[in-house]
Amino acid sequence: MPVSCNGDTRVGRTQTVLALESSCDDTAASIVRRNGSGKADVLASVVKNQDSLHAAFGGVVPEIAARAHAEILDYCVEEALEKARLSLSDMDAIAVTAGPGLIGGVVSGVMCAKGLALATGKPLYGINHLAGHALTPRLTDAVPYPYLMLLVSGGHCQFLSVEGPDDFKRLGGTIDDAPGEAFDKVARLLALPQPGGPSVEMAARSGDATRFSLPRPLLDRPGCDLSFSGLKTAVLRARDSLIETQGGLYEKDQHDLCASFQAAVVDVMAEKTRRALLLAPSATTLCVAGGVASNMSIRSKLETVSEQSGVHFTAPPLALCTDNAAMIGYAALERMERHPPDDLSLSARPRWPLDQHSPAMLGSGKKGAKA
Ligand code: KG4
Ligand code: ZN
């Protein structure tokens, strides 16, 4: 049976947090506990995706996402408590993603968390979603600070030097699309199923990566910013020219285009990661997280880059790499040691850069602000 907590928030005491996440198209609740020795365990993690609700629209519809979060958040909380065999009274704090993300979804989570905090009298912590991703390697692998985090998903793309629980330096990131968006768009162009990442990776396995000479965007510029929009357009042009000359696309063309596209992404990510490691010379580990990190070609190339650069490589298990509430609970545990809780004036933030000193990122992806 789980131990019951005494609500004391001092370091060295067992701390249990109920966390909520609803910043994009996954509704999630989790219970994370840190024991007296400092080790954190995920006691329950519930994630409900909204894929079927958005499928017909070719992207996440913010209003539909927000309503769906509001409808099922409390069921996710109930399920998480049931799985952990705990009750609200066993919690030491309520944590919630307070941004960045699609604002309607973030508001749904923040309102639910405020209700829970008010009803139970438990402290409330508003957590930055990106901090959740960035701190996950400490939850899964106890990775020591400082480390380099490459966050690559359908909504995020950035290199972060993680130097402490509140100390993140953004070294670079996408100036347009996130890489997952590019995989999804390429799949759409080639009539492959969504989500595009796994279908493009599968098609690429039997393709010839040298058949199409696609650009390696931004390699000619210093630094570790990335760009994927031009690459996607190059795939579109190659596809259209095949259709014009052959009257259509053969399966072989699909596979070769996917392989050539993936090879370009791999090359760019590898080179930009080498540069980011040079900008973070104290980092002893390269961590990669986000849905795109499940791509085996990308992952194995990044492992090679780590070996060549003399740093360890780690990627959290996929369930903790993609959006989830356990990462929010863990970030809250780190926060509780150093900061007082938020009060009921906690607001939802569509934009919330982790590194307040880095220049603001332009634009916003189909899944909301990228920083
Ligand atoms: O982290 P995630 O589940 O959700 C957010 O974007 O927040 O990432 C989903 C993205 C999608 O764009 C999907 O196409 C991409 O990750 N993805 C992949 C692979 N699996 C998922 N991209 C490339 N290769 C994969 N194997
Ligand atoms: Zn995310």
Side-chain angles (χ1 to χ4, degrees):
M1 273 301 282
V3 244
S4 100
C5 295
N6 55 17
D8 191 329
T9 53
R10 282 175 302 168
V11 183
R13 299 298 178 119
T14 295
Q15 306 269 16
T16 311
V17 174
L18 165 66
L20 309 181
E21 154 64 39
S22 57
S23 64
C24 186
D25 55 349
D26 291 302
T27 317
S30 176
I31 293 166
V32 185
R33 170 173 287 173
R34 176 148 34 209
N35 64 31
S37 69
K39 187 178 176 308
D41 291 304
V42 180
L43 303 188
S45 179
V46 175
V47 181
K48 310 269 186 215
N49 78 47
Q50 304 178 347
D51 291 353
S52 60
L53 297 179
H54 303 289
F57 303 96
V60 179
V61 183
E63 182 60 20
I64 294 178
R67 281 169 192 267
H69 288 307
E71 276 166 21
I72 65 163
L73 264 165
D74 49 353
Y75 294 108
C76 292
V77 169
E78 270 174 19
E79 196 177 323
L81 288 168
E82 227 165 79
K83 280 191 172 156
R85 302 218 219 135
L86 292 173
S87 67
L88 279 175
S89 60
D90 296 311
M91 299 301 120
D92 292 297
I94 311 290
V96 63
T97 299
L102 296 173
I103 192 62
V106 182
V107 168
S108 302
V110 167
M111 295 308 288
C112 179
K114 281 185 185 176
L116 289 167
L118 192 62
T120 58
K122 307 285 178 183
L124 172 70
Y125 285 86
I127 301 296
N128 184 309
H129 176 87
L130 298 168
H133 278 303
L135 295 173
T136 302
R138 292 182 53 74
L139 166 65
T140 56
D141 298 272
V143 172
Y145 299 117
Y147 55 91
L148 179 70
M149 164 58 85
L150 168 58
L151 195 50
V152 274
S153 71
H156 318 296
C157 178
Q158 51 188 306
F159 287 105
L160 288 167
S161 171
V162 185
E163 302 181 5
D166 302 309
D167 190 359
F168 305 94
K169 292 202 173 51
R170 190 176 164 280
L171 305 175
T174 184
I175 59 165
D176 41 55
D177 291 348
E181 274 178 294
F183 271 94
D184 293 341
K185 285 177 187 167
V186 164
R188 220 167 287 132
L189 291 177
L190 300 175
L192 293 168
Q194 295 292 321
S199 359
V200 170
E201 181 175 16
M202 170 96 85
R205 269 186 214 138
S206 39
D208 173 3
T210 60
R211 176 164 163 210
F212 298 95
S213 152
L214 299 175
R216 269 57 177 162
L218 297 195
L219 282 194
D220 53 343
R221 279 200 230 161
C224 53
D225 279 342
L226 300 108
S227 159
F228 296 99
S229 163
L231 183 52
K232 166 202 74 193
T233 309
V235 173
L236 169 70
R237 294 225 176 87
R239 179 203 71 170
D240 287 351
S241 113
L242 284 172
I243 293 175
E244 209 178 296
T245 51
Q246 308 175 159
L249 277 192
Y250 296 102
E251 202 177 51
K252 167 101 178 77
D253 301 325
Q254 269 182 331
H255 293 180
D256 293 349
L257 270 170
C258 286
S260 303
F261 164 77
Q262 188 173 274
V265 173
V266 167
D267 282 355
V268 169
M269 272 192 196
E271 176 54 24
K272 295 291 178 171
T273 302
R274 274 188 209 104
R275 295 187 197 175
L277 282 166
L278 291 176
L279 293 172
S282 316
T284 52
T285 309
L286 167 66
C287 306
V288 56
V292 179
S294 61
N295 183 292
M296 287 319 293
S297 302
I298 294 175
R299 197 182 266 244
S300 68
K301 186 67 179 207
L302 293 176
E303 271 191 271
T304 309
V305 170
S306 306
E307 266 170 42
Q308 290 166 344
S309 309
V311 297
H312 300 288
F313 176 83
T314 183
L318 200 58
L320 293 175
C321 241
T322 54
D323 285 352
N324 67 87
M327 67 182 192
I328 302 304
Y330 180 75
L333 285 167
E334 294 243 5
R335 191 167 175 76
M336 285 159 70
E337 287 179 11
R338 292 163 188 83
H339 298 280
D342 290 295
D343 59 29
L344 292 176
S345 67
L346 172 70
S347 49
R349 301 173 63 172
R351 283 183 186 270
W352 186 359
L354 267 185
D355 177 353
Q356 306 290 336
H357 304 291
S358 72
M361 295 194 60
L362 296 174
S364 135
K366 71 178 162 70
K367 294 186 170 182
K370 294 194 183 81

